[in-house]
Amino acid sequence: MSYQSPDILSANAKKILNDYINNVDSLKAKDRLKIPPQEMPAQDPIIRGQNLEEVAIGYTMEEARVEALRCLECVKQTCIDGCPVKIDIPRFIKHIAYGEFQQSVNVIKEASLLPAICGRVCPQESQCQENCKVGIAMKDVDKSVAIGRLERFVADWEREQGTVKIPHVKSETGKKVAIVGSGPAGLVVAADVRREGHEVTIFEAFHKLGGVMRYGIPEFRLPNSIVDEEIETLIKMGVKIQKNYVVGRTRKLTDLIDKDGFDAVFVGTGAGLPLFMGIEGENLVGVFSANEYLTRANLMRAFDKKGADTPIYPSKIVAVLGGGNVAMDSARMALRLGAEKVYVIYRRTEVEMPARKEEVLHAKEEGIEFHFLQNAKKILGDEKGKVKGMECLRYELGEPDSSGRRRPVVVEGSEFTIELDTVIVAIGNGSNPLIHQTTPELQTNKWGNIIVDKNQKSSMDKVFAGGDIVLGAATVILAMGEGRKAAAAINEMLAQKLA
């Protein structure tokens, strides 16, 4: 869909809402299916490619209500099945349709304390929205009810009203819980465990909290202020914070239990070990992992060239290798840092790309060039050891592999070169190895992910784990789902000790 200005989208929504506002109670399914999906308003592509402001502006009240009216209020609520934290989706959407925004966000918070974050970065099209009967009826998941956008709307509305409530905390139990890592899984565990009255301390290796939400996702997709406000809620609940504290170095995992007296520990250290292609030239100046590139830009604020001392490579022509959301974030950040041309090079077609369609669309609108069915063979350097180009191969698709995606097959003799000065490798991350290197009694699999049971309990007594350190690089909402299970198991374990 081509870009439309927020003013035009808003005017269209007001007209549609006026047509339906007086007969909300009597709308039939066929009437609801006729209501057009509401596009997410966004900054102009040319302007946003030069700033760090949030790209998606968010629904107006009229747009949100019109979108909510599209919900069929199904008897069998399959959308909930696709949500890892089981939000009562039809109930919160129905409140929006009637303009009851506070009631709506209250429903979401029965299951999730991070609606503003999930509404922005969750892959709804492959979770809740994939099961939406509207999308199924229209044979297009992109025409499902925009559940994530509605979740974001009511979360933002509550914050703007200044009515965000601090969750009730039960009387102090005297039990202590340590959370290692402040990503989405860790934050969920901290909230759910603190609610039961246990003393909670979050240990974070960086100087800022939020994990991948802070260092990995650019502000144009998830503003830091949103992450800060979610964390501020935890602090007001009494959660303690220890920054610049590297569990595994500053103190071993076992020390937290044996010496510091914690009754339970949750490990949510994420997947922060970047993977590389293993090709010639990856040691050249101008080659970066997406992890390093985004950490410099986001966490260390390299985009703020006047206010931050963080160096960032002066790129003119950038190639990003990969097809996930991290690749999209890297490409779009390179554009905002001043690159004149940015390529995304992916060895399958756009159909097989794991990135969210919305992020791909936004990248295209901003001028990012996509090169499908191609991949790097080797990176070429000049006499000073700096990147000057890349030799690539062309591919065609063969039979599906174990992931279900069609396997890319090299076209023999298809080598060609392109000129560039920067390569960003965005093909995924492995588990952070520090904890298991310094805690030999902790069982991990061959990829270094912590092995847990169905309740997120590890091989060690009192130690639980969840999120990317268990799943490998996954999504915010999946990490939150694991955090909820771990918190429930920790609360049950501590309740038994208190009985």
Side-chain angles (χ1 to χ4, degrees):
M1 186 178 292
S2 58
Y3 174 78
Q4 294 193 68
S5 77
D7 290 341
I8 291 175
L9 296 174
S10 176
N12 290 341
K14 287 179 180 176
K15 182 177 183 307
I16 296 170
L17 187 61
N18 283 333
D19 292 341
Y20 285 90
I21 193 69
N22 294 322
N23 58 348
V24 174
D25 293 325
S26 59
L27 283 177
K28 306 295 183 186
K30 65 179 182 180
D31 301 319
R32 295 176 185 272
L33 289 171
K34 291 179 182 176
I35 300 173
Q38 296 302 289
E39 187 178 339
M40 173 59 94
Q43 282 195 72
D44 182 283
I46 302 302
I47 296 172
R48 73 188 190 222
Q50 301 172 32
N51 67 50
L52 266 291
E53 301 297 317
E54 194 168 12
V55 167
I57 295 171
Y59 279 155
T60 63
M61 284 194 287
E62 291 83 4
E63 288 161 346
R65 293 188 68 182
V66 171
E67 186 64 27
L69 288 173
R70 299 180 63 235
C71 178
L72 299 179
E73 301 178 5
C74 303
V75 175
K76 188 175 181 180
Q77 300 169 332
T78 52
C79 52
I80 300 177
D81 297 337
C83 174
V85 295
K86 307 302 179 192
I87 294 171
D88 190 338
I89 293 167
R91 188 154 62 96
F92 97 73
I93 289 180
K94 187 171 184 177
H95 280 305
I96 295 175
Y98 284 90
E100 300 164 349
F101 304 134
Q102 186 63 59
Q103 292 95 321
S104 175
V105 74
N106 289 346
V107 171
I108 296 173
K109 287 191 170 181
E110 292 172 4
S112 169
L113 281 182
L114 306 175
I117 292 173
C118 291
R120 284 170 164 81
V121 301
C122 276
Q124 294 96 4
E125 62 274 16
S126 60
Q127 293 176 334
C128 53
Q129 290 173 201
E130 187 174 40
N131 296 335
C132 173
K133 297 288 179 58
V134 176
I136 294 172
M138 295 189 170
K139 300 179 180 178
D140 185 349
V141 70
D142 294 332
K143 293 181 180 177
S144 297
V145 176
I147 298 167
R149 293 171 181 174
L150 292 174
E151 181 182 14
R152 166 188 165 149
F153 168 76
V154 289
D156 288 353
W157 178 89
E158 183 190 43
R159 190 176 61 257
E160 290 163 3
Q161 302 302 308
T163 56
V164 177
K165 296 179 181 176
I166 306 304
H168 173 69
V169 175
K170 294 181 181 177
S171 300
E172 300 293 335
T173 64
K175 297 296 181 183
K176 295 169 57 178
V177 179
I179 311 291
V180 184
S182 64
L187 296 184
V188 166
V189 175
D192 284 2
V193 171
R194 180 60 189 148
R195 284 200 236 211
E196 293 300 308
H198 307 310
E199 181 181 318
V200 176
T201 304
I202 296 176
F203 296 96
E204 169 55 51
F206 285 136
H207 61 289
K208 293 278 189 179
L209 275 72
V212 69
M213 298 182 293
R214 176 84 63 177
Y215 70 76
I217 303 178
E219 289 217 68
F220 57 78
R221 238 174 17 102
L222 177 60
N224 285 338
S225 59
I226 300 292
V227 179
D228 289 339
E229 290 189 29
E230 303 286 12
I231 292 170
E232 186 62 26
T233 298
L234 292 178
I235 294 173
K236 288 178 179 176
M237 290 171 67
V239 172
K240 299 177 181 177
I241 307 292
Q242 283 272 7
K243 301 175 187 174
N244 300 309
Y245 197 108
V246 185
V247 174
R249 282 284 181 269
T250 313
R251 206 150 178 78
K252 289 184 178 179
L253 184 64
T254 49
D255 291 338
L256 297 178
I257 297 170
D258 299 335
K259 299 179 180 177
D260 299 335
F262 283 98
D263 299 284
V265 177
F266 175 79
V267 182
T269 47
L273 183 68
L275 303 177
F276 283 89
M277 302 274 288
I279 59 175
E280 182 180 339
E282 280 186 305
N283 60 330
L284 293 168
V285 177
V287 179
F288 299 89
S289 69
N291 193 306
E292 178 188 347
Y293 193 80
L294 291 174
T295 299
R296 283 176 180 270
N298 299 332
L299 178 71
M300 301 172 71
R301 304 182 64 80
F303 62 83
D304 184 6
K305 295 180 181 176
K306 294 182 179 177
D309 293 330
T310 306
I312 195 81
Y313 201 66
S315 308
K316 290 186 177 179
I317 305 177
V318 178
V320 178
L321 306 179
N325 287 325
V326 174
M328 299 306 109
D329 288 342
S330 300
R332 298 168 70 193
M333 179 57 83
L335 180 73
R336 286 160 172 77
L337 289 171
E340 297 170 2
K341 191 173 284 295
V342 182
Y343 308 124
V344 170
I345 296 178
Y346 182 60
R347 62 182 184 155
R348 293 182 168 94
T349 73
E350 185 171 354
V351 174
E352 290 84 23
M353 284 183 79
R356 295 187 64 200
K357 287 184 179 179
E358 182 174 282
E359 304 308 328
V360 176
L361 173 64
H362 283 163
K364 287 181 175 178
E365 288 176 343
E366 292 166 10
I368 306 297
E369 294 184 21
F370 286 76
H371 294 242
F372 298 112
L373 293 170
Q374 298 178 15
N375 204 9
K377 181 179 180 182
K378 63 181 178 182
I379 302 168
L380 310 173
D382 63 15
E383 66 282 357
K384 295 181 179 179
K386 294 184 176 181
V387 173
K388 70 172 185 180
M390 189 160 64
E391 184 175 333
C392 297
L393 287 164
R394 299 189 192 281
Y395 286 71
E396 58 187 11
L397 293 182
E399 295 299 314
D401 60 17
S402 59
S403 71
R405 295 178 297 174
R406 294 180 65 187
R407 186 189 302 275
V409 179
V410 173
V411 177
E412 296 299 330
S414 62
E415 288 87 348
F416 64 98
T417 60
I418 54 176
E419 293 184 0
L420 44 83
D421 54 45
T422 305
V423 177
I424 302 173
V425 183
I427 59 171
N429 292 311
S431 64
N432 190 321
L434 182 58
I435 292 287
H436 77 81
Q437 284 176 350
T438 56
T439 318
E441 54 268 63
L442 190 63
Q443 290 185 4
T444 57
N445 62 20
K446 63 180 180 181
W447 297 284
N449 300 321
I450 297 176
I451 297 172
V452 297
D453 65 14
K454 63 179 181 181
N455 295 317
Q456 307 300 131
K457 172 74 170 51
S458 78
S459 58
M460 289 179 62
D461 189 32
K462 302 180 182 178
V463 177
F464 298 75
D468 287 358
I469 191 62
V470 169
L471 297 167
T475 66
V476 169
I477 193 72
L478 284 174
M480 287 176 60
E482 293 217 319
R484 296 221 79 185
K485 283 197 296 181
I490 292 171
N491 286 333
E492 183 178 350
M493 181 186 75
L494 297 181
Q496 289 175 356
K497 291 185 177 181
L498 289 166

